[in-house]
Amino acid sequence: MRSWLFCMALVEGLALLGLALQSQEGSFFLKALNLKARPRPRPPSNTTHSVPPLLWKIFQRKNREKEAKDDGGCWLEEFNAPGNIVRLFADQGGSVHLQEPPLCLQKRLYFNLSALEVGETVTAARLEIRFRQNRYRAASTSFDLRLFRVTRAWLKGMSGHPHSRRALLSQSFLHVHKSFAFDVTLVAGEWQTPSQNLGLVLEIAAQDCSGLDSFLEASLFVVSLSSDQDRCRSPRKKRSAYYVPPAAGANVCKPRRLYIGFGDVGWENWIIAPQGYQANYCLGECPFPLTEELNGTNHAILQTIVHSLDPQGTPQPCCVPVRLSPISILYYDNDDNVVLRHYEDMVVDECGCR
Ligand SMILES: *[C@@H]1O[C@H](CO)[C@@H](O)[C@H](O)[C@H]1NC(C)=O
Ligand SMILES: *[C@@H]1O[C@H](CO)[C@@H](O)[C@H](O)[C@H]1NC(C)=O
């Protein structure tokens, strides 16, 4: 009897999910999203334009090809790396110093990676340096873009000191592009220890500084794997797809439609997308004899037999999710960083008797 009651409690629990989310701000759901509290970002709800196009692209692709691939759905081809979280950090390194040739621009770059949790592994980091517009410069006048890693605390006027920084890269360009991207995975990985993170110095040198004053901003994409993402690391075997005719009877165990709207629970100001999603739930009977499409365990098959002999003494097996799939959520965290995160087990695809 007790497990039957438990089945019912589960069903009622799901029916009350919306209410529960409203009443306690869904603290258990926040926990499932690995958040300690509901983020309260500063930007108003409709500032979706501040989400960079690259994140939108990944978000849309992820939720389109929902069916996880061999990698568990965690491969991000845009970064050529595995990851279930992509964060965008804004530069907090202060103002730009525009100067005269040969050093046209100097700027300190600092990204506060404290939002990364203990146990997260940085798998890729891309620094993006953006200018207001593309600009073609006279063919003979290239410029050098240099990045240094600051290795020692910085005092005023010490920026040029050869021992306080280490060259990371230096590249020549002919024209100003709207965006330049550099792989800084190794450096960002070490920045997880805050004392190691003294930032970078960006310098642009040229004989002719024209067009270089249109520097706009720098930002850092960080791709990481959270510690609970073992599925990304050990690819799961793909099930062979086969057609199973739907079990007869409306009351038999099967997935039921349940749409969870984030707006209904007051989360629309920090979840950027999706607005909600088809979460579904499992409901129905697990009658004797348990057919194959009810995905029962051997134990459940025996339990239905015993139940048919003694309905009072032994309950039917429970109708529960046996296959779930992930979705990606795009949101603002408390520091106004834009985060794209891949969450496992968010959607019920198949149910079974257990
Ligand atoms: C980084 O951000 C955290 C959380 O917002 C803050 O507590 C910390 O002081 C910041 N560190 C620096 C160096 O700005
Ligand atoms: C059992 O699994 C099959 C395929 O694995 C699926 O087609 C079917 O819908 C599942 N049964 C239920 C009740 O979800």
Side-chain angles (χ1 to χ4, degrees):
M1 203 60 201
R2 265 182 55 210
S3 70
W4 171 243
L5 281 176
F6 183 62
C7 285
M8 289 307 291
L10 260 182
V11 167
E12 278 174 21
L14 277 164
L16 291 173
L17 183 61
L19 277 178
L21 284 170
Q22 260 159 337
S23 61
Q24 2 156 340
E25 276 197 344
S27 59
F28 70 94
F29 193 59
L30 286 171
K31 205 169 151 246
L33 299 185
N34 275 314
L35 296 166
K36 280 174 208 82
R38 160 186 169 169
R40 300 187 186 276
R42 262 162 281 146
S45 60
N46 55 358
T47 54
T48 48
H49 59 267
S50 62
V51 177
L54 180 65
L55 282 190
W56 273 118
K57 201 177 127 209
I58 302 173
F59 170 77
Q60 278 157 354
R61 182 174 57 73
K62 282 278 165 195
N63 283 341
R64 203 169 46 234
E65 33 172 84
K66 230 172 48 57
E67 178 59 37
K69 292 196 214 139
D70 283 350
D71 55 30
C74 293
W75 187 259
L76 290 167
E77 58 200 46
E78 290 80 0
F79 293 95
N80 200 27
N84 67 317
I85 310 173
V86 186
R87 290 187 177 83
L88 179 69
F89 293 98
D91 168 36
Q92 299 174 3
S95 53
V96 186
H97 300 281
L98 293 170
Q99 297 167 13
E100 296 298 308
L103 185 59
C104 300
L105 179 151
Q106 192 180 46
K107 175 157 189 352
R108 187 176 175 201
L109 306 178
Y110 179 78
F111 303 97
N112 185 340
L113 303 198
S114 70
L116 287 166
E117 288 147 31
V118 178
E120 261 184 73
T121 314
V122 172
T123 55
R126 181 186 296 168
L127 175 70
E128 226 179 47
I129 293 169
R130 302 207 304 125
F131 288 82
R132 212 161 282 118
Q133 71 252 333
N134 292 326
R135 175 114 182 226
Y136 295 95
R137 291 156 48 90
S140 54
T141 59
S142 67
F143 62 89
D144 290 334
L145 197 151
R146 303 183 210 133
L147 273 177
F148 302 87
R149 179 176 179 179
V150 180
T151 53
R152 238 196 255 167
W154 229 37
L155 298 179
K156 260 194 181 136
M158 258 183 70
S159 63
H161 195 280
H163 301 303
S164 64
R165 59 188 211 176
R166 205 177 65 227
L168 278 185
L169 68 90
S170 171
Q171 230 173 307
S172 282
F173 296 94
L174 275 179
H175 304 296
V176 176
H177 298 280
K178 261 183 130 160
S179 161
F180 294 93
F182 303 99
D183 184 349
V184 291
T185 307
L186 291 177
V187 179
E190 291 176 26
W191 283 349
Q192 268 183 294
T193 315
S195 61
Q196 296 283 310
N197 183 2
L198 298 173
L200 303 171
V201 175
L202 166 70
E203 283 185 359
I204 297 181
Q207 289 313 313
D208 163 17
C209 293
S210 66
L212 297 170
D213 56 352
S214 72
F215 171 86
L216 200 60
E217 61 183 7
S219 46
L220 183 72
F221 286 102
V222 176
V223 180
S224 62
L225 272 172
S226 57
S227 52
D228 57 352
Q229 281 297 307
D230 36 350
R231 280 194 222 173
C232 289
R233 290 164 179 145
S234 53
R236 96 185 109 162
K237 287 202 183 67
K238 199 167 181 155
R239 282 160 188 260
S240 54
Y242 56 90
Y243 177 72
V244 182
N251 277 333
V252 96
C253 171
K254 64 180 174 201
R256 317 283 166 148
R257 294 175 75 77
L258 169 69
Y259 182 84
I260 298 182
F262 293 128
D264 296 340
V265 294
W267 285 8
E268 70 276 15
N269 68 331
W270 65 275
I271 293 190
I272 304 164
Q275 291 175 343
Y277 79 106
Q278 196 67 41
N280 303 335
Y281 65 99
C282 293
L283 178 67
E285 297 206 40
C286 293
F288 173 80
L290 210 53
T291 51
E292 201 172 328
E293 56 266 29
L294 289 175
N295 301 315
T297 51
N298 287 337
H299 177 270
I301 292 169
L302 284 168
Q303 193 176 333
T304 53
I305 296 173
V306 177
H307 171 75
S308 70
L309 298 173
D310 177 16
Q312 301 302 319
T314 311
Q316 275 188 348
C318 284
C319 173
V320 295
V322 296
R323 197 166 73 97
L324 296 126
S325 58
I327 66 164
S328 292
I329 297 181
L330 199 51
Y331 63 91
Y332 295 107
D333 72 7
N334 266 323
D335 300 326
D336 293 344
N337 303 315
V338 178
V339 184
L340 174 66
R341 185 159 179 163
H342 181 78
Y343 289 102
E344 293 293 344
D345 299 342
M346 293 288 284
V347 178
V348 172
D349 289 335
E350 284 166 21
C351 305
C353 294
R354 296 292 150 97

